[in-house]
Amino acid sequence: MAAVQRPASSSDSDERKRKRMLSNRESARRSRIRKQKQLEDLVNEVSALQKDNSQLSEKINVATQRYAEMECANNVLRAQAMELTERLRSLNSVLHIVEEVSGYAVDIPKIPDPLMKPWQIPCPVQPIMALADMFEC
């Protein structure tokens, strides 16, 4: 037996339109809430990244300052090493003169060139100290 379909009344049609409209409104509301949440998440992420960026910039500035200080100190030490080497050469010259004049054999040490091969300078081995915060990430 075939079911008899009756024509849709205008109240059924109006009811369907009203339900569809309510459903669309609810869907739009959920969509707005979802977009607002995404926007808040992105704003929070931007804020966190800006904070990380400023912290990294500060660390870079501190490291750059330390590097400049160490480079300056190295330049001073190089100049002092050159000055001391020149003094030693001068003293060795005096020893050569004393040796020639007196006739006695004088033990004259060889002068290393610290600027040419600094890793071969005969000196006591001293540990290199590092601060723990130098290597923080």
Side-chain angles (χ1 to χ4, degrees):
M1 244 175 39
V4 177
Q5 291 185 346
R6 52 186 168 157
S9 65
S10 113
S11 70
D12 285 344
S13 176
D14 290 343
E15 182 65 22
R16 276 194 302 245
K17 284 182 184 178
R18 189 182 67 75
K19 284 183 179 180
R20 188 172 49 231
M21 190 169 64
L22 288 175
S23 174
N24 287 346
R25 283 182 186 165
E26 182 61 26
S27 177
R29 185 184 70 78
R30 286 192 307 266
S31 178
R32 283 191 302 273
I33 290 172
R34 193 169 44 251
K35 285 183 181 181
Q36 182 65 35
K37 171 91 171 76
Q38 289 172 342
L39 179 62
E40 289 172 5
D41 291 346
L42 288 174
V43 167
N44 290 338
E45 185 177 356
V46 165
S47 177
L49 289 172
Q50 286 174 335
K51 179 182 174 187
D52 290 349
N53 193 18
S54 67
Q55 288 174 346
L56 288 172
S57 292
E58 181 61 29
K59 286 182 179 182
I60 288 171
N61 290 340
V62 167
T64 302
Q65 179 65 29
R66 284 183 182 169
Y67 173 81
E69 291 168 359
M70 290 299 118
E71 188 174 27
C72 184
N74 270 347
N75 289 338
V76 168
L77 291 172
R78 278 190 197 98
Q80 289 174 343
M82 288 172 58
E83 181 182 337
L84 291 172
T85 301
E86 193 53 42
R87 282 185 186 177
L88 187 56
R89 281 192 183 111
S90 177
L91 290 173
N92 279 354
S93 297
V94 171
L95 286 176
H96 279 294
I97 293 171
V98 167
E99 187 178 48
E100 287 177 12
V101 171
S102 71
Y104 294 115
V106 179
D107 187 21
I108 302 173
K110 184 178 178 189
I111 302 170
D113 189 356
L115 300 179
M116 298 304 281
K117 298 179 181 174
W119 56 90
Q120 293 178 349
I121 296 175
C123 62
V125 177
Q126 296 180 0
I128 297 174
M129 302 302 288
L131 299 175
D133 64 347
M134 288 176 65
F135 303 105
E136 287 182 355
C137 294

